[in-house]
């Protein structure tokens, strides 16, 4: 659905641009191509890593960690959440099933917030565009914020 | 040329790992490769149109407009615009990277670019819908209420932290 809208949007924009100025449009496509070639290597690596992770770490193992509400458990969960890149349409149902299985709100909230705010596997891509300092600081701040948010949520909702 | 090859190192390692896994545990190997292929297809479905839009943004939107709306002097208004634009976004965070990069190159303020990325990553509208559905309204709303200030704070903090070398960490524009 979103993809279809995106494609239509890009196509319409491209046609309008082409009618107005062919040269500029050609340049835009060159830029797009260059960006794609720049991102492709890290993208392929990241995708491969995600595949490996999903195959090697069984769901039960993740669930086991999330059921644990000790500080160490939450720390480990948050690290897992920071490293993994789970799309929202998997992450939220996973979170819901973990709550059903008896995991604490704090643990699940920490897990979900780190999944969303910190991206270790996408770091190579981020470094490629924004540099190392930016990437390290953004992710570090994200981790701290995510933990604070997760812990507050656990306190409020429990 | 040498640099080009280095970029593929991670991919190469993953392919080797996939191969070993497949050799020793065929089931898991196949599962690793199929889920990677699924992701690849998913990414190829939205990355190209986003990059085309980024390219068009680069050639058509004058620097002045970006500077005026989300530039160094855009203040609160710039923050609000960055948030609103990013909530309407589609696709995961790595699809937002090139967009934020293009904005930065066009004179967007660092704070606003970080806020844009943070919003894209955590509180997109389609994502919130999904969250409400699975985690419940109170969970989703509480997370939204806590995340929004955290994102804005991150934006300002990051700008301060990188102030030593203002735009230095953003590699020089290749095509302006």
């Amino acid at each position: 659905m979103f993809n279809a809208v995106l494609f239509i949007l890009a196509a319409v924009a491209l046609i309008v641009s082409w009618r107005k100025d062919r040269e500029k449009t050609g340049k835009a496509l060159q830029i797009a191509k260059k960006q794609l070639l720049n991102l492709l290597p890290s993208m392929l690596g990241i995708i491969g890593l995600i595949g490996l992770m999903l195959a090697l770490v069984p769901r039960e193992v993740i669930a086991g960690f999330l059921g644990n509400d000790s500080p160490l458990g939450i720390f480990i969960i948050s690290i897992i959440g920071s490293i993994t890149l789970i799309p929202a349409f998997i992450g939220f149902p996973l979170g819901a099933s973990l709550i059903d299985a008896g995991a604490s709100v704090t643990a699940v909230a920490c897990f979900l917030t780190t999944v969303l705010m910190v991206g270790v596997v996408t770091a190579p891509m981020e470094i490629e565009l924004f540099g190392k300092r930016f990437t390290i600081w953004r992710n570090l701040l994200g981790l701290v914020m995510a933990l604070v948010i997760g812990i507050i949520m656990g306190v409020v909702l429990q | 040329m040498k640099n080009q090859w280095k970029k593929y190192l991670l991919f190469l390692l993953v392919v080797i790992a996939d191969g070993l896994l497949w050799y020793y545990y065929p089931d898991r190997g196949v599962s690793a490769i199929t889920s990677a292929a699924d992701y690849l297809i998913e990414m190829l479905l939205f990355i190209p149109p986003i990059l085309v839009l980024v390219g068009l943004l680069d050639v058509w939107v004058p620097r002045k407009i970006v500077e005026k709306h989300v530039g160094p002097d855009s203040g609160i208004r710039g923050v609000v615009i960055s948030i609103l634009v990013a909530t309407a976004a589609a696709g995961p965070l790595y699809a937002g990277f090139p967009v934020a990069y293009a904005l930065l190159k066009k004179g967007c303020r660092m704070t606003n670019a970080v806020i844009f990325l943070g919003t894209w990553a955590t509180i997109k509208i389609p994502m919130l819908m999904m969250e409400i559905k699975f985690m419940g309204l109170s969970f989703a709303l509480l997370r939204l209420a806590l995340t929004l200030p955290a994102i804005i704070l991150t934006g300002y903090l990051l700008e301060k932290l990188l102030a030593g070398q203002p735009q230095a960490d953003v590699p020089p524009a290749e095509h302006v």
Side-chain angles (χ1 to χ4, degrees):
Chain A
M1 242 296 276
F2 287 118
N3 293 339
V5 173
L6 212 56
F7 261 97
I8 292 165
L9 201 68
V12 171
L14 209 55
I15 291 166
V16 172
S17 168
W18 181 259
R19 289 199 154 174
K20 276 195 160 172
D21 189 333
R22 297 194 169 190
E23 205 181 309
K24 271 193 175 180
T25 311
K27 214 172 139 198
L29 286 176
Q30 281 296 319
I31 292 170
K33 195 183 114 193
K34 205 168 174 184
Q35 284 259 32
L36 182 67
L37 291 180
N38 265 342
L39 293 177
L40 202 61
S42 39
M43 216 163 82
L44 284 173
I46 291 164
I47 291 169
L49 267 188
I50 296 171
L52 277 175
M53 221 147 48
L54 291 178
L56 288 176
V57 185
R59 251 178 107 107
E60 306 85 70
V61 173
I62 301 174
F65 277 129
L66 285 173
N68 190 344
D69 209 4
S70 70
L72 182 68
I74 288 173
F75 179 73
I76 292 170
I77 293 152
S78 304
I79 297 297
I80 294 174
S82 304
I83 294 170
T84 49
L85 181 116
I86 302 174
F89 61 88
I90 297 176
F92 289 126
L94 178 66
S97 68
L98 290 165
I99 296 250
D100 284 344
S104 72
V105 177
T106 315
V108 175
C110 282
F111 177 66
L112 287 176
T113 47
T114 48
V115 162
L116 295 176
M117 297 178 88
V118 192
V120 172
V121 288
T122 51
M125 216 160 162
E126 199 173 342
I127 290 172
E128 188 71 40
L129 288 174
F130 302 103
K132 260 187 199 149
R133 262 175 71 125
F134 177 99
T135 305
I136 291 171
W137 278 115
R138 195 193 68 83
N139 283 289
L140 218 57
L141 287 172
L143 177 63
V144 174
M145 304 276 178
L147 287 178
V148 172
I149 291 172
I151 290 167
I152 296 177
M153 287 184 70
V155 172
V156 174
L157 293 175
Q158 231 149 25
Chain B
M1 241 5 242
K2 214 174 171 188
N3 247 331
Q4 279 306 105
W5 281 109
K6 236 171 92 184
K7 284 185 175 175
Y8 282 96
L9 188 66
L10 178 63
F11 182 55
L12 198 69
L13 290 176
V14 166
V15 170
I16 293 170
D18 272 337
L20 288 174
L21 191 65
W22 183 72
Y23 186 79
Y24 289 104
Y25 304 94
D27 282 2
R28 294 203 169 179
V30 167
S31 127
I33 292 162
T34 41
S35 34
D38 283 350
Y39 270 98
L40 183 64
I41 291 166
E42 200 196 307
M43 283 176 129
L44 289 180
L45 281 177
F46 63 76
I47 294 264
I50 282 186
L51 291 181
V52 167
L53 288 172
V54 165
L56 289 172
L57 180 130
D58 205 338
V59 296
W60 283 109
V61 179
R63 196 181 164 91
K64 258 194 221 153
I65 291 192
V66 176
E67 266 178 356
K68 190 179 153 211
H69 292 286
V70 287
D73 304 317
S74 56
I76 304 279
R77 208 168 135 260
V79 172
V80 173
I81 292 174
S82 306
I83 291 172
L84 288 182
V85 172
T87 48
L93 182 58
Y94 41 72
F97 288 151
V99 183
Y101 175 68
L103 286 175
L104 268 180
K105 256 178 34 199
K106 285 270 166 179
C108 174
R109 186 181 172 180
M110 175 66 85
T111 303
N112 290 338
V114 175
I115 291 173
F116 176 86
L117 276 180
T119 309
W120 186 306
T122 54
I123 48 181
K124 285 187 307 257
I125 290 165
M127 186 189 273
L128 274 181
M129 311 278 246
M130 186 139 256
E131 185 171 5
I132 292 169
K133 189 173 151 218
F134 284 102
M135 302 301 296
L137 190 63
S138 52
F139 187 97
L141 288 184
L142 181 60
R143 197 180 65 79
L144 176 67
L146 293 169
T147 305
L148 210 49
I151 289 170
I152 296 171
L153 188 63
T154 306
Y156 281 100
L157 279 176
L158 205 62
E159 191 180 76
K160 281 261 178 316
L161 285 166
L162 299 178
Q165 21 172 242
Q167 303 294 327
D169 256 349
V170 180
E174 293 152 28
H175 31 59
V176 180

